[in-house]
Amino acid sequence: MGKVYYVSKHVGLGLLVLAVTALVTIIALSIAYDKERAKNQDTLGDGAADGTTPVPTPFTPKEPWDRYRLPVSLVPVSYNVTLWPRLKPGADGMYFFTGKSAVVVRCVKETDLLIIHSNKLNLTSFNGHHAVLTGLGQATAPAIQNSWLVVKTEFLVIQLRSRLSVGASYVLYTEFKGELADDLEGFYRSEYTEDGVRKVVATSQMQATYARKTFPCFDEPAMKAVFNVTIIHDQDTVALSNGMEIGTADSVIDGVSVRVTTFEPTERMSTYLLAFIVSDFVNIKSTQNKNLIWARRKAIDSRQGDYALNVTGPILQFYEQYFNATYPLSKSDQIALPDFNAGAMENWGLVTYRETALLFDPIMSSTGNKETITTVVSHELAHMWFGNLVTLQWWNDLWLNEGFASYVEYLGADYAEPTWSIKDKIILSDVHKVFAVDALASSHPLSRREEEVNTPAQISEMFNTISYSKGAAVLRMLSEFLTEPVFTKGISSLAVFLLKFSQLFVCCQAVENTPGMHIPHTVHDIMNRWTLQMGFPVVTIDTRTGSITQKHFLLDPDSVLDRPSQFNYTWFVPIKWMKTGVEQQQHWLLQETVSGEDWVLANTNVAGYFRVNYDLDNWHRLLSLLNTNHQALSIINRAQIIDDAFNLARAKIINTTLALTTTKYLSKERDYIPWESALRNLDYYILIDRSNSFYRIFSNIPILRYNQNNAIGIACSMGVQGCGELIKSWYRQWMENPHHNPIHPNLKSTVYCSAIAFGGVEEWDFAWRMFKNATLASEASRLRSGMACTKAPWLLNRYLEYTLDPTKIRKQDATSTIHYIARNIVGMPLAWNFVRARWSYLFKQYGGRSFSFSGLINGITKRLSTEFELQELMKFKEDNLHVGFGSATMALEQAIEKTTANIKWVAENKAHVLKWFNDESK
Ligand SMILES: *[C@@H]1O[C@H](CO)[C@@H](O)[C@H](O)[C@H]1NC(C)=O
Ligand SMILES: *[C@@H]1O[C@H](CO)[C@@H](O)[C@H](O)[C@H]1NC(C)=O
Ligand SMILES: *[C@@H]1O[C@H](CO)[C@@H](O)[C@H](O)[C@H]1NC(C)=O
Ligand SMILES: *[C@@H]1O[C@H](CO)[C@@H](O)[C@H](O)[C@H]1NC(C)=O
Ligand SMILES: *[C@@H]1O[C@H](CO)[C@@H](O)[C@H](O)[C@H]1NC(C)=O
Ligand SMILES: *[C@@H]1O[C@H](CO)[C@@H](O)[C@H](O)[C@H]1NC(C)=O
Ligand SMILES: *[C@@H]1O[C@H](CO)[C@@H](O)[C@H](O)[C@H]1NC(C)=O
């Protein structure tokens, strides 16, 4: 699954400060103007649930249907599935679908029980039973003794009068009816309005455990089978599925004129990758007709699909080379849906997207939108090989699937857009983001034991920042030290269809004995330390003594580690480094020592997943280098020095003043990534004092006087008034002539936010009208984020209420809207109160297994930093134990740990920080 994309964080910062001063406005504006490529990149992860609750020894229920895993006695071979979604409600007002399924199963272990997943389906009764069983070929099927549904484990259980024979095959036939709800899970309903007409789309999201809500199936990734799909639909609609359409026939069924579309049998595949869609969408295609982009007619007519189509060809080409294997399917459809919970989903041959992740308008979209589309498309297409063809055995290894796609998405995107330097972005979007989570004592290892991941909520919780971003960072490190040719050779030789992660490293071992390759241990031993224990090291280089040491990096040095590691939290660390501008031989920690008098920079190109600390002299040499000749270091190393320093300071390893000093060279910095790194870290300093007085000081520091070159910056440097006036006048012009928006797309996010923050109900209501009328999803998304910037509490409260009304805010956007409001300094307490008051409703309505829940918890608790708030947080946990926290369970534990650390940090650093800002602003 792709990541969930929220609006970029510097906008969040911008909005807080803008209202008070101009100088930070300049930053927000000029960065937005210069390099707005990051827009919408702040993913769920800041985000996602990471951490762990100690897992007790699993209790194994006696009855097989009370366990969450399927028994191993039967394997599916192929299915005939027919689905008929009704796009108009039935007599009782309910939207529904009907269907039938015949699955051929082979018996591999004698059994008199047939257990198959089925959830929220009403099954037709045949002679008092939920299914019909027949033998295939010579086999005769035993009679059914009894059949029943188990709601908790989502099983249909069929008890037979006698046993099935090993080696024989049987056909299990079911007919069923399910609700076509607007719940974004399984086969579901999406709605939109076109030319005043309300339209309904039937679409699907199976990952991770929703195929069973569509038809009875063996819903585990290793239970691969062939699917022969038939869809019955209205004659004025088109049906899509994973395979190529092989026939359509019009007919009358139950007195209704319908079209019956059949699809070629799929490749052998997992149920979580299935997709079924009925809509009146249209498409554009590439000249070879193999790649299609589908969307609402209006979007295709206004050419919003062109950009995605343009990059799809090159990206597929790139992966064919990368994997040394041709694209595995006969077609490639990609479709943009009005309602979709994740960012995108890699259904094999029919990839589904949020509209914001696929549709681009040359006039209205920003360069940041373009970057989002390229990286998301690249991520999903990587899965067509890795994930879909080669599939993980079970969800505990999810990190390999998502980490791999999250790493190579940058390579594919770079191939399609070689001028963007997009590969550098992994530093902000993955490495720094996951460092923040993985430095907590409540983090968890990349790899989990199979028995730790059982229930749907536990599976859902795997889709977190650790799996995606640490997975990406660690695989990138592996590729860097093995070198890319060796790494890709290892990957492309994976001729297996079901993978356990350990096999990957065995595989790489086979190719690592390349001439010239020096690795002190086996790939397996090296990688085990990065995957089986949580966290990462800080490497300390003392250039005076030449000593190099490592230590588990914990944000709060006083936190209690209740999870021991078999490796004692030590790592084999590949250290690329340079001395006075000269690249040195890769160094393996635990192997040798270095010494040096000149400046030393370790972790060049941020190739490794670790932080670096130096002796004070070397820190000062690096700081002076930054001030005199910052270009001697790569862009991402400049960003890394800032991020390392700020985090080392938070962990009390270096002095806060030293960290703040790393930002002084920024007045000369012209690149986006180091700035963004500094702004994200300074954003944390808002905790010092969540009142306006601090921003005034904050904004006066010289380091923030960045701008010079661009027109907006110059206009804004005239002062609070001038800058505010400029923004207001643009917005006013737009309000006077709603059909002509004078604001440059790359500046819209910042301008909307500021104008609404400066303005009142009139500005807000205008934004709301424009939001409801927007024809481009990313424009709607910018407005939705901008409306969270108002400083009027009553508007924010009203907006919070809107998130519970799907006719106002789509369900897919509800949690991210609350998250935006929580970023606003005025909105934070309101959002916090709102979520606490409505928890059980939100939880029920939006599904405890939805992974956007962990992002919600993270977002609303991010700035909690007082003892009182910590008490509230604990009480919230206690009060809702009966409702539960589902996939947000780990996120809640982390919130408690982070709040505790915040309280301590503020107490210890407030005086120093205020002094530094005061001194600098003199
Ligand atoms: C699905 O189609 C394939 C290929 O035609 C066939 O071998 C298989 O038996 C079919 N599956 C079922 C359940 O009939
Ligand atoms: C699956 O569908 C095909 C084509 O309609 C049919 O020939 C076959 O018998 C069906 N298989 C089963 C097991 O019902
Ligand atoms: C399934 O059956 C239950 C109980 O009769 C009923 O309330 C529900 O509406 C049915 N669902 C569908 C989709 O028809
Ligand atoms: C897509 O590619 C064509 C041909 O290179 C180009 O003319 C067009 O501008 C591109 N469209 C977008 C939206 O980038
Ligand atoms: C690519 O695959 C072909 C055929 O399987 C093989 O002969 C060739 O050596 C592979 N190339 C690389 C670079 O691994
Ligand atoms: C971890 O520490 C223990 C006790 O100091 C030691 O016996 C063990 O060998 C260490 N393990 C590793 C992998 O370093
Ligand atoms: C940091 O260093 C400065 C000067 O070297 C000192 O005045 C200050 O107290 C130190 N701050 C902390 C938090 O240790």
Side-chain angles (χ1 to χ4, degrees), residues 244-292:
M244 186 98 90
E245 174 188 308
I246 48 172
T248 58
D250 288 348
S251 98
V252 176
I253 302 180
D254 300 343
V256 188
S257 296
V258 292
R259 179 159 300 163
V260 179
T261 299
T262 48
F263 299 88
E264 65 178 349
T266 65
E267 299 292 316
R268 270 192 78 223
M269 62 183 284
S270 308
T271 46
Y272 82 85
L273 292 168
L274 288 167
F276 312 108
I277 302 176
V278 173
S279 69
D280 68 351
F281 284 10
V282 293
N283 67 65
I284 48 165
K285 44 183 137 217
S286 58
T287 42
Q288 310 87 354
N289 283 353
K290 193 166 165 184
N291 306 327
L292 272 66

Side-chain angles (χ1 to χ4, degrees), residues 69 207 220-224 269-273 346 383 385-405 447 450 462-463 467 475 494 496-504:
R69 296 295 300 273
Q207 196 179 30
E220 293 190 357
M223 294 287 189
K224 287 192 174 186
M269 62 183 284
S270 308
T271 46
Y272 82 85
L273 292 168
E346 70 268 21
H383 279 309
W385 287 263
F386 199 89
N388 300 5
L389 186 61
V390 178
T391 307
L392 279 325
Q393 182 83 32
W394 181 244
W395 299 110
N396 63 316
D397 280 339
L398 181 77
W399 75 269
L400 190 49
N401 193 13
E402 292 302 351
F404 186 82
S447 196
E450 188 168 341
M462 295 301 293
F463 291 81
S467 296
L475 290 170
L494 286 170
V496 288
F497 290 90
L498 285 173
L499 186 66
K500 282 184 178 256
F501 92 89
S502 50
Q503 289 167 291
L504 177 71

Side-chain angles (χ1 to χ4, degrees), residues 535-771:
F536 57 90
V538 49
V539 169
T540 302
I541 297 177
D542 189 332
T543 58
R544 293 163 311 182
T545 63
S547 89
I548 301 187
T549 52
Q550 65 168 298
K551 186 167 174 283
H552 182 191
F553 181 80
L554 285 169
L555 207 50
D556 179 355
D558 306 326
S559 54
V560 182
L561 266 185
D562 51 12
R563 181 194 277 274
S565 160
Q566 54 176 314
F567 306 115
N568 299 340
Y569 292 106
T570 59
W571 288 262
F572 294 121
V573 188
I575 305 175
K576 290 182 197 282
W577 63 292
M578 58 162 68
K579 195 167 78 179
T580 319
V582 183
E583 193 85 32
Q584 309 288 317
Q585 173 98 41
Q586 174 159 296
H587 169 89
W588 283 86
L589 193 58
L590 307 180
Q591 284 258 302
E592 56 181 284
T593 58
V594 294
S595 68
E597 329 173 309
D598 304 318
W599 61 263
V600 165
L601 177 91
N603 204 7
T604 53
N605 202 27
V606 199
Y609 183 66
F610 57 92
R611 292 199 181 281
V612 187
N613 184 23
Y614 308 93
D615 57 289
L616 206 56
D617 290 346
N618 195 61
W619 270 116
H620 285 304
R621 288 195 290 264
L622 285 174
L623 290 180
S624 114
L625 180 67
L626 284 176
N627 281 314
T628 53
N629 180 21
H630 63 278
Q631 277 157 339
L633 304 178
S634 71
I635 294 170
I636 56 179
N637 274 115
R638 302 196 302 258
Q640 192 58 35
I641 287 174
I642 294 170
D643 195 62
D644 278 348
F646 273 91
N647 284 281
L648 291 168
R650 281 175 66 183
K652 294 198 259 187
I653 295 171
I654 65 169
N655 188 316
T656 300
T657 310
L658 179 58
L660 286 165
T661 310
T662 61
T663 62
K664 289 182 85 167
Y665 94 96
L666 286 172
S667 54
K668 301 197 196 72
E669 182 60 81
R670 290 293 172 276
D671 273 290
Y672 163 78
I673 293 177
W675 266 103
E676 178 69 14
S677 177
L679 288 175
R680 288 186 186 183
N681 280 295
L682 287 169
D683 189 38
Y684 184 72
Y685 282 60
I686 286 168
L687 290 181
I688 289 281
D689 182 359
R690 293 184 310 213
S691 70
N692 286 345
S693 64
F694 180 61
Y695 305 135
R696 216 165 287 131
I697 303 168
F698 189 67
S699 62
N700 279 333
I701 52 176
I703 62 140
L704 298 181
R705 269 182 218 133
Y706 163 77
N707 89 11
Q708 280 92 7
N709 301 339
N710 68 66
I712 314 277
I714 289 165
C716 285
S717 67
M718 295 188 302
V720 181
Q721 228 39 41
C723 193
E725 288 311 318
L726 179 66
I727 284 170
K728 277 194 249 177
S729 83
W730 282 342
Y731 195 79
R732 221 166 14 234
Q733 279 176 43
W734 187 33
M735 285 174 70
E736 278 156 19
N737 186 359
H739 297 293
H740 178 74
N741 185 339
I743 307 160
H744 188 280
N746 288 1
L747 290 174
K748 280 178 177 172
S749 293
T750 310
V751 170
Y752 294 172
C753 175
S754 321
I756 290 165
F758 284 127
V761 62
E762 214 183 314
E763 282 77 10
W764 202 97
D765 285 347
F766 175 73
W768 179 257
R769 277 201 306 283
M770 293 299 104
F771 166 71

Side-chain angles (χ1 to χ4, degrees), residues 321 323-325 485 488-489 492-493:
Q321 287 165 27
F323 295 108
N324 193 23
T488 51
K489 196 146 183 250
S492 60
S493 65

